[in-house]
C-alpha cells in the first residue's frame, strides 16, 4: 500500500468531505486519519489515505479533478512512525496577542522537540472582555532532552508573555 497525504482547502460549503471521500473510495483507497476544519469561511484539512500502489497515480489524477471545488495537494507519506522518546502534552492559555505560537514553538525547537499535533483557538473572554488564546500541543521529546531545563524555559516564557503553560 502507498500512503498519500492530502492537503485540501476551499471555500466552505456542504459536500466537500463527501466529494473527497467519494474519489478515495472510487479508487479503493482507505481514509485513515484526518484533521479538518472550517476557518474564517475556508474549509481546510490534512487527510492520510492508503491506496494500492498501482492505483496511486490514478487516485492523484482524480483528486486533481476536484479543482474548482477544492485545491488538493498530494504528498507521498511513509510507514515510518516516531516512537523514540516520550510524548509531552502542553496546554497554553492567556490573553490573545501576536507571537504566542512563535515563542512557544521556538522553545520546543530549541530543546529538539518534534510537534506531533498543535490545535489553537481564540475566543471571547467570558468575564473580562477581550480575547483568550488557547493551545494544545502534543510533542515528541527525545530521551536526550533535559526535562528540567525545558520546564524552566517554559516557565520563564509563561511569565514573560503572561500566559499559563501546563505541562503533562
Amino acid at each position: 500500500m502507498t500512503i498519500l497525504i492530502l492537503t485540501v482547502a476551499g471555500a466552505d460549503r456542504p459536500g466537500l468531505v463527501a466529494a473527497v471521500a467519494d474519489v478515495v473510495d472510487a479508487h479503493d483507497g482507505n481514509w485513515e486519519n484526518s484533521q479538518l476544519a472550517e476557518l474564517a469561511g475556508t474549509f481546510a484539512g490534512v487527510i492520510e489515505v492508503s491506496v494500492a500502489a498501482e492505483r496511486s497515480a490514478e487516485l492523484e489524477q482524480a483528486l486533481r479533478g476536484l479543482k474548482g471545488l477544492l485545491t488538493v495537494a498530494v504528498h507521498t507519506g511513509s510507514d515510518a512512525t516516531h516512537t523514540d522518546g516520550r510524548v509531552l502534552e502542553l496546554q497554553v492559555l492567556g490573553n490573545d496577542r501576536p507571537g504566542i505560537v512563535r515563542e512557544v514553538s521556538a522553545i520546543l525547537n530549541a530543546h529538539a522537540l518534534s510537534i506531533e499535533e498543535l490545535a489553537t483557538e481564540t475566543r471571547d473572554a467570558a468575564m473580562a472582555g477581550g480575547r483568550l488564546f488557547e493551545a494544545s500541543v502534543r510533542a515528541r521529546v527525545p530521551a536526550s532532552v533535559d526535562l528540567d531545563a525545558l520546564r524552566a524555559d517554559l516557565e520563564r516564557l509563561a511569565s514573560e508573555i503572561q500566559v499559563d503553560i501546563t505541562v503533562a
Side-chain angles (χ1 to χ4, degrees), residues 70-95:
L70 282 169
T71 301
V72 180
V74 180
H75 308 275
T76 302
S78 71
D79 289 330
T81 57
H82 302 282
T83 57
D84 53 329
R86 62 177 269 204
V87 171
L88 183 80
E89 306 232 359
L90 298 171
Q91 299 295 320
V92 180
L93 178 64
N95 290 323

Side-chain angles (χ1 to χ4, degrees), residues 48-67:
E48 176 186 349
V49 172
S50 61
V51 64
E54 63 273 7
R55 306 249 6 229
S56 177
E58 182 184 327
L59 173 57
E60 287 186 51
Q61 184 63 32
L63 289 164
R64 286 189 197 98
L66 295 174
K67 189 173 183 174

